[in-house]
Amino acid sequence: MVRTANQTNVGRVRMVNEDRAFVQDDLNGFVLAIVADGMGGHQAGDVASQMAVDIIQGELQSLPAGASVEERRRRVKSAIELANEKIFDFASQRENYFGMGTTVVTVLADEHALVIGHIGDSRAYKINDGAIVQLTEDHSLVNELVKNGQITREEATHHPRRNVLTRALGTEATIEVDIQDLNWNQGDLVLICSDGLSSLISSEQLLTLVNGSGELEHAASQLVNEALEAGGDDNITVVLVSNTANPLTGDADHVNGEAG
C-alpha cells in the first residue's frame, strides 16, 4: 500500500508562496505526487507553478489502470512537455509574466515501481534501511560548477548564484525532461521537496528527521519546522510517499488533494 503526506509553508521571508504540491492517492491504482517551485516577478511564479500542477495532473487522469512502466514514462514526459508549452505560450503573450517559470518533480508510483519526471532544482530522494539517495539531479548553475570541479559541494550551499537554474519549465519553447523509473520495496519512502527544504537541511538531517518521526504527517511537519528553524528564507514544500505494508490507522492517515 502506498501512503502520502504533504505540507507547504510560505517560510519566514517571502510574502507569497510560489510553491505548489499536489497529491492524488488513487489515480486508477497509482499514486501521483507533484511539487513545483515557481519563479518570476509580479507573482508570476505562483501562476507558473499552479499551471504546471494543473496541467500535469489533468493530463494524467486518463492513465489506464495497469499501464506498463514504459507507458507511464511516456505519459509523465508528455504531460510535463505540454505544461512547458502552455506556460511558455501564456507568458509570451503577457508582458507581466514574461520569463516566468517553475521547477517540477512528478512521481507516479504503485507498490512496485516509481516513475519520476523532473526539471529544475526541486528534488526527489529515496530513503530506506537507514540510507538516503538523491534521485534527481539539480538543473542549476552551482551544480554545473560542482560537476566541473570549480566549487565544492559545501561552497555551492552558500554560493550567491545558487538560485540560478540552467533548466526550468516554461522559460523556453521546448525543454528536455529528465525521466527515470526504478523499483521500490515495502519500507521504502520517497521524499519530494522544493529547494526551500533541501538548501537548508542536509540529506543526513533529512534522513534523521524522517526516521525519527514515526507517522508520515509528523515527519512532514518536522521537516518543514526544521527548515523554518534554519532560517526559512524560501517557501518550503515537502511530499512524502511511503511504500508501507500495514498502515497503522487506515484511510484517516491519508492526506489528499492539493496544498498551498
PDB file of all heavy atoms in Angstrom, residues 206-228:
ATOM      1  N   LEU A 206      17.804  15.164   6.779  1.00  0.00           N
ATOM      2  CA  LEU A 206      16.530  14.683   6.233  1.00  0.00           C
ATOM      3  C   LEU A 206      16.285  13.244   6.661  1.00  0.00           C
ATOM      4  O   LEU A 206      15.196  12.878   7.111  1.00  0.00           O
ATOM      5  CB  LEU A 206      16.521  14.784   4.705  1.00  0.00           C
ATOM      6  CG  LEU A 206      16.571  16.170   4.081  1.00  0.00           C
ATOM      7  CD1 LEU A 206      16.667  16.059   2.557  1.00  0.00           C
ATOM      8  CD2 LEU A 206      15.346  17.006   4.472  1.00  0.00           C
ATOM      9  N   LEU A 207      17.324  12.422   6.536  1.00  0.00           N
ATOM     10  CA  LEU A 207      17.231  11.007   6.899  1.00  0.00           C
ATOM     11  C   LEU A 207      16.894  10.851   8.380  1.00  0.00           C
ATOM     12  O   LEU A 207      15.993  10.091   8.750  1.00  0.00           O
ATOM     13  CB  LEU A 207      18.552  10.311   6.578  1.00  0.00           C
ATOM     14  CG  LEU A 207      18.669   8.829   6.961  1.00  0.00           C
ATOM     15  CD1 LEU A 207      17.649   7.991   6.203  1.00  0.00           C
ATOM     16  CD2 LEU A 207      20.086   8.329   6.695  1.00  0.00           C
ATOM     17  N   THR A 208      17.588  11.593   9.227  1.00  0.00           N
ATOM     18  CA  THR A 208      17.364  11.514  10.679  1.00  0.00           C
ATOM     19  C   THR A 208      15.945  11.937  11.045  1.00  0.00           C
ATOM     20  O   THR A 208      15.271  11.283  11.850  1.00  0.00           O
ATOM     21  CB  THR A 208      18.380  12.406  11.421  1.00  0.00           C
ATOM     22  OG1 THR A 208      19.696  11.956  11.106  1.00  0.00           O
ATOM     23  CG2 THR A 208      18.172  12.348  12.920  1.00  0.00           C
ATOM     24  N   LEU A 209      15.485  13.033  10.447  1.00  0.00           N
ATOM     25  CA  LEU A 209      14.150  13.545  10.761  1.00  0.00           C
ATOM     26  C   LEU A 209      13.063  12.570  10.333  1.00  0.00           C
ATOM     27  O   LEU A 209      12.102  12.322  11.068  1.00  0.00           O
ATOM     28  CB  LEU A 209      13.937  14.899  10.086  1.00  0.00           C
ATOM     29  CG  LEU A 209      14.702  16.069  10.719  1.00  0.00           C
ATOM     30  CD1 LEU A 209      14.740  17.247   9.746  1.00  0.00           C
ATOM     31  CD2 LEU A 209      14.059  16.483  12.029  1.00  0.00           C
ATOM     32  N   VAL A 210      13.189  11.997   9.130  1.00  0.00           N
ATOM     33  CA  VAL A 210      12.177  11.066   8.631  1.00  0.00           C
ATOM     34  C   VAL A 210      12.175   9.791   9.467  1.00  0.00           C
ATOM     35  O   VAL A 210      11.120   9.298   9.881  1.00  0.00           O
ATOM     36  CB  VAL A 210      12.408  10.752   7.135  1.00  0.00           C
ATOM     37  CG1 VAL A 210      11.532   9.578   6.691  1.00  0.00           C
ATOM     38  CG2 VAL A 210      12.106  11.975   6.279  1.00  0.00           C
ATOM     39  N   ASN A 211      13.352   9.263   9.750  1.00  0.00           N
ATOM     40  CA  ASN A 211      13.433   8.010  10.505  1.00  0.00           C
ATOM     41  C   ASN A 211      12.962   8.166  11.945  1.00  0.00           C
ATOM     42  O   ASN A 211      12.478   7.220  12.554  1.00  0.00           O
ATOM     43  CB  ASN A 211      14.871   7.479  10.498  1.00  0.00           C
ATOM     44  CG  ASN A 211      15.210   6.781   9.200  1.00  0.00           C
ATOM     45  OD1 ASN A 211      14.328   6.447   8.424  1.00  0.00           O
ATOM     46  ND2 ASN A 211      16.492   6.575   8.957  1.00  0.00           N
ATOM     47  N   GLY A 212      13.081   9.378  12.506  1.00  0.00           N
ATOM     48  CA  GLY A 212      12.741   9.573  13.909  1.00  0.00           C
ATOM     49  C   GLY A 212      11.328  10.055  14.146  1.00  0.00           C
ATOM     50  O   GLY A 212      10.956  10.332  15.290  1.00  0.00           O
ATOM     51  N   SER A 213      10.532  10.131  13.089  1.00  0.00           N
ATOM     52  CA  SER A 213       9.232  10.803  13.218  1.00  0.00           C
ATOM     53  C   SER A 213       8.030   9.890  13.325  1.00  0.00           C
ATOM     54  O   SER A 213       6.954  10.337  13.686  1.00  0.00           O
ATOM     55  CB  SER A 213       9.024  11.758  12.031  1.00  0.00           C
ATOM     56  OG  SER A 213       9.947  12.814  12.102  1.00  0.00           O
ATOM     57  N   GLY A 214       8.168   8.615  12.977  1.00  0.00           N
ATOM     58  CA  GLY A 214       7.011   7.719  13.069  1.00  0.00           C
ATOM     59  C   GLY A 214       6.002   7.982  11.966  1.00  0.00           C
ATOM     60  O   GLY A 214       6.210   7.617  10.825  1.00  0.00           O
ATOM     61  N   GLU A 215       4.904   8.624  12.313  1.00  0.00           N
ATOM     62  CA  GLU A 215       3.840   8.874  11.342  1.00  0.00           C
ATOM     63  C   GLU A 215       4.298   9.805  10.224  1.00  0.00           C
ATOM     64  O   GLU A 215       5.060  10.751  10.449  1.00  0.00           O
ATOM     65  CB  GLU A 215       2.632   9.496  12.042  1.00  0.00           C
ATOM     66  CG  GLU A 215       1.767   8.486  12.772  1.00  0.00           C
ATOM     67  CD  GLU A 215       1.160   7.473  11.821  1.00  0.00           C
ATOM     68  OE1 GLU A 215       0.551   7.875  10.824  1.00  0.00           O
ATOM     69  OE2 GLU A 215       1.317   6.270  12.066  1.00  0.00           O
ATOM     70  N   LEU A 216       3.787   9.567   9.016  1.00  0.00           N
ATOM     71  CA  LEU A 216       4.161  10.378   7.851  1.00  0.00           C
ATOM     72  C   LEU A 216       3.841  11.855   8.058  1.00  0.00           C
ATOM     73  O   LEU A 216       4.643  12.730   7.730  1.00  0.00           O
ATOM     74  CB  LEU A 216       3.422   9.890   6.608  1.00  0.00           C
ATOM     75  CG  LEU A 216       3.972   8.692   5.839  1.00  0.00           C
ATOM     76  CD1 LEU A 216       3.156   8.496   4.575  1.00  0.00           C
ATOM     77  CD2 LEU A 216       5.436   8.841   5.522  1.00  0.00           C
ATOM     78  N   GLU A 217       2.654  12.133   8.584  1.00  0.00           N
ATOM     79  CA  GLU A 217       2.244  13.528   8.764  1.00  0.00           C
ATOM     80  C   GLU A 217       3.186  14.247   9.732  1.00  0.00           C
ATOM     81  O   GLU A 217       3.539  15.408   9.532  1.00  0.00           O
ATOM     82  CB  GLU A 217       0.799  13.619   9.280  1.00  0.00           C
ATOM     83  CG  GLU A 217      -0.257  13.176   8.289  1.00  0.00           C
ATOM     84  CD  GLU A 217      -0.311  11.658   8.140  1.00  0.00           C
ATOM     85  OE1 GLU A 217       0.273  10.946   8.988  1.00  0.00           O
ATOM     86  OE2 GLU A 217      -0.916  11.199   7.160  1.00  0.00           O
ATOM     87  N   HIS A 218       3.585  13.535  10.774  1.00  0.00           N
ATOM     88  CA  HIS A 218       4.509  14.119  11.749  1.00  0.00           C
ATOM     89  C   HIS A 218       5.859  14.373  11.098  1.00  0.00           C
ATOM     90  O   HIS A 218       6.500  15.417  11.338  1.00  0.00           O
ATOM     91  CB  HIS A 218       4.653  13.186  12.953  1.00  0.00           C
ATOM     92  CG  HIS A 218       5.526  13.739  14.041  1.00  0.00           C
ATOM     93  ND1 HIS A 218       5.275  14.946  14.663  1.00  0.00           N
ATOM     94  CD2 HIS A 218       6.667  13.256  14.609  1.00  0.00           C
ATOM     95  CE1 HIS A 218       6.205  15.185  15.569  1.00  0.00           C
ATOM     96  NE2 HIS A 218       7.058  14.176  15.552  1.00  0.00           N
ATOM     97  N   ALA A 219       6.308  13.437  10.262  1.00  0.00           N
ATOM     98  CA  ALA A 219       7.585  13.606   9.562  1.00  0.00           C
ATOM     99  C   ALA A 219       7.550  14.835   8.661  1.00  0.00           C
ATOM    100  O   ALA A 219       8.503  15.627   8.634  1.00  0.00           O
ATOM    101  CB  ALA A 219       7.896  12.354   8.742  1.00  0.00           C
ATOM    102  N   ALA A 220       6.453  15.015   7.919  1.00  0.00           N
ATOM    103  CA  ALA A 220       6.333  16.182   7.026  1.00  0.00           C
ATOM    104  C   ALA A 220       6.393  17.476   7.836  1.00  0.00           C
ATOM    105  O   ALA A 220       7.089  18.432   7.455  1.00  0.00           O
ATOM    106  CB  ALA A 220       5.036  16.100   6.230  1.00  0.00           C
ATOM    107  N   SER A 221       5.686  17.501   8.966  1.00  0.00           N
ATOM    108  CA  SER A 221       5.693  18.684   9.838  1.00  0.00           C
ATOM    109  C   SER A 221       7.086  18.960  10.389  1.00  0.00           C
ATOM    110  O   SER A 221       7.543  20.110  10.434  1.00  0.00           O
ATOM    111  CB  SER A 221       4.729  18.503  11.010  1.00  0.00           C
ATOM    112  OG  SER A 221       3.406  18.370  10.557  1.00  0.00           O
ATOM    113  N   GLN A 222       7.765  17.900  10.821  1.00  0.00           N
ATOM    114  CA  GLN A 222       9.112  18.049  11.370  1.00  0.00           C
ATOM    115  C   GLN A 222      10.072  18.627  10.342  1.00  0.00           C
ATOM    116  O   GLN A 222      10.910  19.472  10.673  1.00  0.00           O
ATOM    117  CB  GLN A 222       9.633  16.684  11.837  1.00  0.00           C
ATOM    118  CG  GLN A 222       8.980  16.162  13.091  1.00  0.00           C
ATOM    119  CD  GLN A 222       9.546  16.832  14.332  1.00  0.00           C
ATOM    120  OE1 GLN A 222       8.990  17.805  14.829  1.00  0.00           O
ATOM    121  NE2 GLN A 222      10.659  16.334  14.819  1.00  0.00           N
ATOM    122  N   LEU A 223       9.965  18.165   9.098  1.00  0.00           N
ATOM    123  CA  LEU A 223      10.846  18.658   8.038  1.00  0.00           C
ATOM    124  C   LEU A 223      10.630  20.146   7.796  1.00  0.00           C
ATOM    125  O   LEU A 223      11.586  20.927   7.699  1.00  0.00           O
ATOM    126  CB  LEU A 223      10.609  17.864   6.754  1.00  0.00           C
ATOM    127  CG  LEU A 223      11.066  16.398   6.786  1.00  0.00           C
ATOM    128  CD1 LEU A 223      10.432  15.615   5.644  1.00  0.00           C
ATOM    129  CD2 LEU A 223      12.590  16.299   6.701  1.00  0.00           C
ATOM    130  N   VAL A 224       9.362  20.554   7.690  1.00  0.00           N
ATOM    131  CA  VAL A 224       9.055  21.971   7.468  1.00  0.00           C
ATOM    132  C   VAL A 224       9.526  22.813   8.644  1.00  0.00           C
ATOM    133  O   VAL A 224      10.152  23.867   8.470  1.00  0.00           O
ATOM    134  CB  VAL A 224       7.541  22.162   7.218  1.00  0.00           C
ATOM    135  CG1 VAL A 224       7.175  23.648   7.242  1.00  0.00           C
ATOM    136  CG2 VAL A 224       7.145  21.550   5.865  1.00  0.00           C
ATOM    137  N   ASN A 225       9.269  22.341   9.865  1.00  0.00           N
ATOM    138  CA  ASN A 225       9.676  23.093  11.053  1.00  0.00           C
ATOM    139  C   ASN A 225      11.183  23.252  11.136  1.00  0.00           C
ATOM    140  O   ASN A 225      11.693  24.306  11.544  1.00  0.00           O
ATOM    141  CB  ASN A 225       9.157  22.407  12.324  1.00  0.00           C
ATOM    142  CG  ASN A 225       7.651  22.547  12.473  1.00  0.00           C
ATOM    143  OD1 ASN A 225       7.046  23.436  11.893  1.00  0.00           O
ATOM    144  ND2 ASN A 225       7.056  21.654  13.245  1.00  0.00           N
ATOM    145  N   GLU A 226      11.901  22.213  10.747  1.00  0.00           N
ATOM    146  CA  GLU A 226      13.368  22.280  10.784  1.00  0.00           C
ATOM    147  C   GLU A 226      13.885  23.329   9.798  1.00  0.00           C
ATOM    148  O   GLU A 226      14.823  24.078  10.110  1.00  0.00           O
ATOM    149  CB  GLU A 226      13.952  20.900  10.455  1.00  0.00           C
ATOM    150  CG  GLU A 226      15.399  20.733  10.827  1.00  0.00           C
ATOM    151  CD  GLU A 226      15.630  20.545  12.327  1.00  0.00           C
ATOM    152  OE1 GLU A 226      14.655  20.325  13.071  1.00  0.00           O
ATOM    153  OE2 GLU A 226      16.799  20.638  12.736  1.00  0.00           O
ATOM    154  N   ALA A 227      13.270  23.392   8.614  1.00  0.00           N
ATOM    155  CA  ALA A 227      13.672  24.407   7.622  1.00  0.00           C
ATOM    156  C   ALA A 227      13.343  25.816   8.123  1.00  0.00           C
ATOM    157  O   ALA A 227      14.109  26.762   7.912  1.00  0.00           O
ATOM    158  CB  ALA A 227      12.996  24.141   6.281  1.00  0.00           C
ATOM    159  N   LEU A 228      12.214  25.964   8.803  1.00  0.00           N
ATOM    160  CA  LEU A 228      11.860  27.257   9.396  1.00  0.00           C
ATOM    161  C   LEU A 228      12.876  27.655  10.473  1.00  0.00           C
ATOM    162  O   LEU A 228      13.315  28.809  10.542  1.00  0.00           O
ATOM    163  CB  LEU A 228      10.451  27.206   9.999  1.00  0.00           C
ATOM    164  CG  LEU A 228       9.293  27.129   9.002  1.00  0.00           C
ATOM    165  CD1 LEU A 228       7.992  26.817   9.731  1.00  0.00           C
ATOM    166  CD2 LEU A 228       9.160  28.427   8.203  1.00  0.00           C
TER     167      LEU A 228
END
